[in-house]
């Protein structure tokens, strides 16, 4: 497998017994990688063109585009009244599964079946190519290569392009019990929207053994916008590759400044207020000296505040009674500070909360 690469050119050998040389180009850098692959066979997938040229569609008043694809509206009706089309003649996605759905939808439209649900629900019942391709969570894609590749929803880069605060978690097949036993190679990527408090799953990508089967659990996660917490809490049958989802979810949780446990008990507004208060306390103790946060805006692990400041912040957030006397404690890193607040929010005493924070 080669990622972030496209074929620049290939050299056909003078004799069939010699290998074909393929020059690779980096997709992102737009220049040669310097790597040449020598292969016995080169298969170039250039796409498919519907076989509509000799069907006489123009005589029936049915419009096609420059690639021979039949043009339809959102009800799958062609430019000729009461004539409908479905399946591969429409072009992308051009899958057997979507073609079956289109055929069913076309017959329903012929007989005037009208769905009376909400506008949002109606949108998910449009089967024309434009509606399909504008909604990446409508159906999964399975590519039957070796290894298999499958996906549904958004990858991280596309989500970021759309302004979504996407976080990606990864799980290698070798991270699972079945993967270690079978020595399988592959990976699953899970993408969530970190701006939302419940961290809904918005994309799943897999390559490896059974990827085209595994993606259907991902389809359920994406289409139902299942929270990261639900993925972490799910118990799968052992020994199966579905464990990949849980490993990837745990990877996401480990990257978050405000993880699943914190989001269960605090609103994002409260968590951001606590973060600002922590930084203010650091600046006060450093007498206004500049604090360099990471490129991702996270607070460095080496920054600490005195326990007395942590108590003051807890009182300002109504997590401690203003008249309660402090129990005293160590300096807190930001992670320890957040755990201290979480324990207080759960109703623990100050002393227990301090001990819990020290274990972080």
């Amino acid at each position: 497998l080669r990622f972030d690469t496209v074929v620049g050119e290939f050299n056909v050998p003078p004799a069939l017994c010699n290998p074909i040389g393929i020059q690779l180009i980096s997709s992102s850098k737009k220049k040669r990688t310097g790597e040449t692959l020598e292969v016995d066979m080169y298969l170039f997938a250039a796409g498919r063109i519907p076989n509509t040229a000799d069907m006489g569609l123009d005589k029936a008043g049915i419009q096609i585009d420059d690639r021979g694809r039949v043009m339809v509206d959102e009800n799958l009706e062609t430019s000729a009244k009461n004539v409908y089309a479905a399946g591969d003649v429409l072009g992308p996605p051009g899958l057997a599964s979507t073609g079956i759905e289109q055929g069913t939808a076309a017959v329903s439209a012929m007989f005037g079946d009208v769905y009376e649900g909400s506008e949002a629900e109606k949108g998910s019942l449009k089967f024309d190519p434009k509606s399909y391709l504008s909604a990446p969570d409508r159906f999964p894609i399975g590519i039957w290569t070796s290894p298999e590749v499958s996906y549904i929803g958004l990858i991280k880069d596309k989500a970021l392009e759309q302004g979504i605060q996407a976080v990606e978690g990864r799980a290698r097949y070798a991270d699972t019990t079945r993967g270690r036993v079978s020595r399988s190679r592959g990976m699953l990527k899970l993408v969530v929207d970190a701006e939302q408090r419940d961290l809904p799953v918005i994309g799943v990508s897999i390559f490896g053994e059974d990827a085209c089967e595994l993606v259907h659990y991902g389809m359920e996660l994406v289409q139902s916008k299942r929270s990261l917490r639900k993925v972490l809490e799910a118990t799968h049958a052992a020994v199966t590759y579905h464990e990949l989802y849980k490993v990837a979810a745990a990877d996401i949780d480990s990257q978050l400044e405000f993880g699943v446990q914190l989001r269960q008990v605090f609103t994002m507004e409260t968590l951001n207020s606590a973060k600002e208060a922590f930084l203010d306390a650091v600046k006060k103790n450093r007498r206004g000296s500049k604090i360099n946060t990471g490129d991702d805006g996270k607070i460095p692990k080496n920054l600490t505040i005195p326990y007395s400041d942590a108590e003051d912040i807890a009182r300002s957030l109504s997590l401690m009674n203003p008249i309660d006397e402090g129990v005293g404690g160590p300096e807190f890193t930001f992670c320890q500070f957040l755990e201290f607040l979480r324990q207080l929010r759960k109703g623990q005493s100050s002393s227990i909360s301090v001990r819990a924070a020290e274990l972080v």
Side-chain angles (χ1 to χ4, degrees):
L1 284 174
R2 297 292 187 278
F3 296 98
D4 188 39
T5 56
V6 295
V7 173
E9 60 183 51
F10 59 92
N11 303 314
V12 180
L16 293 177
C17 60
N18 296 329
I20 301 170
I22 298 176
Q23 302 289 333
L24 299 181
I25 293 177
S26 169
S27 300
S28 57
K29 297 179 180 178
K30 308 299 182 185
K31 63 180 183 180
R32 287 190 177 186
T33 64
E35 182 180 11
T36 300
L37 296 181
E38 292 189 346
V39 298
D40 296 324
M41 184 178 295
Y42 172 48
L43 174 63
F44 175 57
R48 296 176 292 168
I49 298 177
N51 188 20
T52 57
D54 300 323
M55 294 177 65
L57 298 179
D58 55 333
K59 296 178 181 178
I62 298 174
Q63 293 182 356
I64 58 176
D65 66 11
D66 56 357
R67 291 181 63 87
R69 298 176 294 202
V70 177
M71 309 293 288
V72 294
D73 62 15
E74 62 181 32
N75 296 315
L76 301 175
E77 187 173 13
T78 68
S79 52
K81 187 174 178 59
N82 295 325
V83 178
Y84 295 78
D88 291 357
V89 294
L90 304 184
L95 305 172
S97 54
T98 55
I100 292 170
E101 285 190 335
Q102 287 172 333
T104 303
V107 172
S108 296
M110 290 176 195
F111 290 94
D113 290 346
V114 179
Y115 183 73
E116 300 294 343
S118 67
E119 287 300 318
E121 291 171 322
K122 288 180 182 178
S124 66
L125 293 173
K126 294 178 181 178
F127 300 95
D128 60 291
K130 182 179 179 181
S131 297
Y132 263 133
L133 299 179
S134 64
D137 60 348
R138 280 286 300 277
F139 57 93
I141 295 292
I143 305 173
W144 297 93
T145 49
S146 181
E148 296 173 21
V149 180
S150 60
Y151 60 91
I152 185 171
L154 297 171
I155 62 173
K156 180 181 177 181
D157 289 348
K158 286 294 183 183
L160 292 174
E161 286 176 12
Q162 296 180 22
I164 298 172
Q165 189 180 329
V167 177
E168 175 188 87
R170 301 183 180 190
R172 299 175 305 154
Y173 276 48
D175 295 330
T176 67
T177 305
R178 181 174 176 182
R180 288 190 290 271
V181 170
S182 63
R183 297 184 179 180
S184 299
R185 295 184 178 181
M187 179 181 291
L188 179 145
K189 294 183 178 180
L190 198 67
V191 181
V192 301
D193 182 356
E195 194 171 358
Q196 305 298 320
R197 181 185 179 187
D198 61 344
L199 301 161
V201 177
I202 59 174
V204 174
S205 305
I206 315 169
F207 74 87
E209 184 180 352
D210 288 342
C212 295
E213 297 286 350
L214 289 168
V215 74
H216 291 95
Y217 177 57
M219 178 179 71
E220 168 62 21
L221 299 180
V222 172
Q223 291 182 345
S224 64
K225 293 182 172 55
R226 192 75 59 83
S227 69
L228 188 68
R229 175 189 171 190
K230 291 295 184 181
V231 181
L232 287 167
E233 291 177 347
T235 302
H236 303 295
V239 176
T240 65
Y241 286 132
H242 280 77
E243 186 183 352
L244 289 163
Y245 285 95
K246 202 163 186 175
V247 174
D251 183 36
I252 290 175
D253 196 35
S254 70
Q255 299 175 50
L256 297 171
E257 188 166 40
F258 305 132
V260 170
Q261 288 187 326
L262 287 167
R263 292 171 186 241
Q264 280 183 250
V265 297
F266 293 117
T267 65
M268 294 303 295
E269 182 181 3
T270 299
L271 289 170
N272 285 315
S273 295
K275 178 179 179 179
E276 291 178 11
F278 182 91
L279 287 172
D280 288 341
V282 172
K283 291 175 183 177
K284 180 191 71 174
N285 290 292
R286 291 193 173 192
R287 298 182 180 178
S289 59
K290 186 177 179 181
I291 299 173
N292 295 318
T293 57
D295 294 336
D296 54 5
K298 292 183 180 178
I299 295 178
K301 295 181 179 179
N302 63 332
L303 294 183
T304 61
I305 62 172
Y307 174 74
S308 57
D309 286 342
E311 277 192 335
D312 291 340
I313 296 171
R315 291 190 177 96
S316 71
L317 296 173
S318 301
L319 298 175
M320 290 180 66
N321 193 312
I323 62 174
D324 285 349
E325 291 187 8
V327 297
E331 290 194 344
F332 282 156
T333 64
F334 186 55
C335 289
Q336 291 173 326
F337 165 71
L338 290 176
E339 180 60 19
F340 172 67
L341 297 184
R342 189 177 78 89
Q343 294 294 334
L344 290 174
R345 181 67 179 83
K346 290 169 56 181
Q348 300 290 0
S349 66
S350 298
S351 57
I352 291 178
S353 299
V354 169
R355 286 198 290 272
E358 288 180 306
L359 296 174
V360 172

